[in-house]
mmCIF file of all heavy atoms in Angstrom:
data_model
loop_
_atom_site.group_PDB
_atom_site.id
_atom_site.type_symbol
_atom_site.label_atom_id
_atom_site.label_comp_id
_atom_site.label_asym_id
_atom_site.label_seq_id
_atom_site.Cartn_x
_atom_site.Cartn_y
_atom_site.Cartn_z
ATOM 1 N N ARG F 84 5.539 1.278 28.805
ATOM 2 C CA ARG F 84 5.557 0.377 29.960
ATOM 3 C C ARG F 84 4.330 -0.523 29.978
ATOM 4 O O ARG F 84 4.223 -1.411 30.796
ATOM 5 C CB ARG F 84 5.567 1.199 31.266
ATOM 6 C CG ARG F 84 6.730 2.152 31.404
ATOM 7 C CD ARG F 84 8.030 1.365 31.533
ATOM 8 N NE ARG F 84 9.175 2.252 31.432
ATOM 9 C CZ ARG F 84 9.720 2.890 32.455
ATOM 10 N NH1 ARG F 84 9.207 2.765 33.646
ATOM 11 N NH2 ARG F 84 10.763 3.664 32.272
ATOM 12 N N ILE F 86 1.196 -2.334 27.423
ATOM 13 C CA ILE F 86 0.548 -2.623 26.141
ATOM 14 C C ILE F 86 -0.809 -3.262 26.453
ATOM 15 O O ILE F 86 -0.870 -4.310 27.107
ATOM 16 C CB ILE F 86 1.400 -3.576 25.272
ATOM 17 C CG1 ILE F 86 2.771 -2.953 24.976
ATOM 18 C CG2 ILE F 86 0.664 -3.906 23.971
ATOM 19 C CD1 ILE F 86 3.714 -3.838 24.164
ATOM 20 N N SER F 106 11.573 -5.209 27.850
ATOM 21 C CA SER F 106 11.218 -6.085 28.961
ATOM 22 C C SER F 106 10.381 -5.354 30.005
ATOM 23 O O SER F 106 9.770 -5.966 30.857
ATOM 24 C CB SER F 106 12.479 -6.653 29.595
ATOM 25 O OG SER F 106 13.325 -5.582 29.952
ATOM 26 N N ARG F 107 10.357 -4.029 29.929
ATOM 27 C CA ARG F 107 9.609 -3.300 30.952
ATOM 28 C C ARG F 107 8.126 -3.163 30.610
ATOM 29 O O ARG F 107 7.339 -2.752 31.443
ATOM 30 C CB ARG F 107 10.210 -1.910 31.139
ATOM 31 C CG ARG F 107 11.583 -1.948 31.776
ATOM 32 C CD ARG F 107 12.171 -0.569 31.856
ATOM 33 N NE ARG F 107 12.239 0.060 30.534
ATOM 34 C CZ ARG F 107 12.733 1.263 30.310
ATOM 35 N NH1 ARG F 107 13.180 1.979 31.314
ATOM 36 N NH2 ARG F 107 12.771 1.765 29.091
ATOM 37 N N ALA F 108 7.778 -3.436 29.376
ATOM 38 C CA ALA F 108 6.373 -3.278 28.990
ATOM 39 C C ALA F 108 5.562 -4.459 29.509
ATOM 40 O O ALA F 108 5.885 -5.618 29.259
ATOM 41 C CB ALA F 108 6.249 -3.183 27.477
ATOM 42 N N ARG F 109 4.500 -4.139 30.257
ATOM 43 C CA ARG F 109 3.616 -5.191 30.769
ATOM 44 C C ARG F 109 2.382 -5.248 29.865
ATOM 45 O O ARG F 109 1.916 -4.233 29.374
ATOM 46 C CB ARG F 109 3.243 -4.901 32.220
ATOM 47 C CG ARG F 109 4.480 -4.863 33.114
ATOM 48 C CD ARG F 109 4.122 -4.519 34.559
ATOM 49 N NE ARG F 109 3.484 -5.650 35.220
ATOM 50 C CZ ARG F 109 2.252 -5.658 35.713
ATOM 51 N NH1 ARG F 109 1.507 -4.586 35.612
ATOM 52 N NH2 ARG F 109 1.770 -6.718 36.300
ATOM 53 N N ILE F 110 1.902 -6.485 29.687
ATOM 54 C CA ILE F 110 0.846 -6.701 28.690
ATOM 55 C C ILE F 110 -0.461 -7.098 29.361
ATOM 56 O O ILE F 110 -0.478 -7.992 30.211
ATOM 57 C CB ILE F 110 1.294 -7.793 27.702
ATOM 58 C CG1 ILE F 110 2.507 -7.270 26.923
ATOM 59 C CG2 ILE F 110 0.172 -8.191 26.744
ATOM 60 C CD1 ILE F 110 3.335 -8.336 26.305
ATOM 61 N N GLY F 111 -1.540 -6.417 28.982
ATOM 62 C CA GLY F 111 -2.853 -6.721 29.541
ATOM 63 C C GLY F 111 -3.862 -7.053 28.464
ATOM 64 O O GLY F 111 -3.849 -6.479 27.374
ATOM 65 N N ILE F 112 -4.748 -8.002 28.775
ATOM 66 C CA ILE F 112 -5.860 -8.378 27.880
ATOM 67 C C ILE F 112 -6.958 -8.960 28.762
ATOM 68 O O ILE F 112 -6.688 -9.423 29.883
ATOM 69 C CB ILE F 112 -5.386 -9.405 26.810
ATOM 70 C CG1 ILE F 112 -6.486 -9.647 25.756
ATOM 71 C CG2 ILE F 112 -4.936 -10.717 27.435
ATOM 72 C CD1 ILE F 112 -6.019 -10.417 24.523
ATOM 73 N N ARG F 117 -7.282 -14.279 26.941
ATOM 74 C CA ARG F 117 -5.898 -14.430 27.391
ATOM 75 C C ARG F 117 -5.201 -15.617 26.729
ATOM 76 O O ARG F 117 -4.080 -15.514 26.249
ATOM 77 C CB ARG F 117 -5.908 -14.600 28.907
ATOM 78 C CG ARG F 117 -4.577 -14.602 29.559
ATOM 79 C CD ARG F 117 -4.766 -14.702 31.076
ATOM 80 N NE ARG F 117 -3.513 -14.485 31.766
ATOM 81 C CZ ARG F 117 -2.615 -15.437 31.953
ATOM 82 N NH1 ARG F 117 -2.846 -16.652 31.512
ATOM 83 N NH2 ARG F 117 -1.488 -15.154 32.571
ATOM 84 N N THR F 121 -1.471 -16.430 25.218
ATOM 85 C CA THR F 121 -0.503 -17.211 25.998
ATOM 86 C C THR F 121 -0.347 -18.629 25.455
ATOM 87 O O THR F 121 0.679 -19.269 25.667
ATOM 88 C CB THR F 121 -0.916 -17.298 27.486
ATOM 89 O OG1 THR F 121 -2.228 -17.863 27.555
ATOM 90 C CG2 THR F 121 -0.915 -15.926 28.132
ATOM 91 N N PHE F 165 2.739 -15.643 23.708
ATOM 92 C CA PHE F 165 3.415 -14.537 24.360
ATOM 93 C C PHE F 165 2.873 -14.438 25.785
ATOM 94 O O PHE F 165 1.683 -14.631 25.993
ATOM 95 C CB PHE F 165 3.085 -13.245 23.588
ATOM 96 C CG PHE F 165 4.197 -12.256 23.571
ATOM 97 C CD1 PHE F 165 5.233 -12.374 22.669
ATOM 98 C CD2 PHE F 165 4.213 -11.200 24.475
ATOM 99 C CE1 PHE F 165 6.268 -11.462 22.647
ATOM 100 C CE2 PHE F 165 5.243 -10.281 24.459
ATOM 101 C CZ PHE F 165 6.281 -10.417 23.535
ATOM 102 N N PRO F 166 3.742 -14.140 26.774
ATOM 103 C CA PRO F 166 3.213 -14.053 28.141
ATOM 104 C C PRO F 166 2.333 -12.814 28.334
ATOM 105 O O PRO F 166 2.552 -11.784 27.700
ATOM 106 C CB PRO F 166 4.473 -13.967 29.019
ATOM 107 C CG PRO F 166 5.582 -13.633 28.103
ATOM 108 C CD PRO F 166 5.183 -13.972 26.703
ATOM 109 N N VAL F 167 1.336 -12.944 29.194
ATOM 110 C CA VAL F 167 0.455 -11.822 29.528
ATOM 111 C C VAL F 167 0.645 -11.522 31.005
ATOM 112 O O VAL F 167 0.825 -12.428 31.817
ATOM 113 C CB VAL F 167 -1.017 -12.205 29.217
ATOM 114 C CG1 VAL F 167 -1.993 -11.265 29.907
ATOM 115 C CG2 VAL F 167 -1.258 -12.182 27.713
ATOM 116 N N ASP F 168 0.627 -10.239 31.382
ATOM 117 C CA ASP F 168 0.955 -9.863 32.756
ATOM 118 C C ASP F 168 -0.252 -9.548 33.628
ATOM 119 O O ASP F 168 -0.210 -9.750 34.832
ATOM 120 C CB ASP F 168 1.888 -8.647 32.740
ATOM 121 C CG ASP F 168 3.180 -8.948 32.006
ATOM 122 O OD1 ASP F 168 3.976 -9.756 32.530
ATOM 123 O OD2 ASP F 168 3.378 -8.425 30.892
ATOM 124 N N PHE F 169 -1.292 -9.005 33.046
ATOM 125 C CA PHE F 169 -2.424 -8.645 33.908
ATOM 126 C C PHE F 169 -3.722 -8.661 33.094
ATOM 127 O O PHE F 169 -3.697 -8.498 31.866
ATOM 128 C CB PHE F 169 -2.211 -7.270 34.564
ATOM 129 C CG PHE F 169 -2.062 -6.131 33.599
ATOM 130 C CD1 PHE F 169 -3.160 -5.361 33.233
ATOM 131 C CD2 PHE F 169 -0.813 -5.809 33.056
ATOM 132 C CE1 PHE F 169 -3.011 -4.303 32.350
ATOM 133 C CE2 PHE F 169 -0.658 -4.754 32.173
ATOM 134 C CZ PHE F 169 -1.763 -4.000 31.813
ATOM 135 N N PRO F 170 -4.865 -8.870 33.791
ATOM 136 C CA PRO F 170 -6.151 -8.891 33.082
ATOM 137 C C PRO F 170 -6.768 -7.505 32.994
ATOM 138 O O PRO F 170 -6.552 -6.669 33.880
ATOM 139 C CB PRO F 170 -7.012 -9.790 33.979
ATOM 140 C CG PRO F 170 -6.475 -9.551 35.354
ATOM 141 C CD PRO F 170 -5.007 -9.217 35.217
#
Side-chain angles (χ1 to χ4, degrees):
R84 302 293 170 88
I86 300 178
S106 55
R107 291 176 303 181
R109 299 178 74 242
I110 295 159
I112 188 168
R117 187 177 190 277
T121 57
F165 214 82
V167 163
D168 300 292
F169 60 94

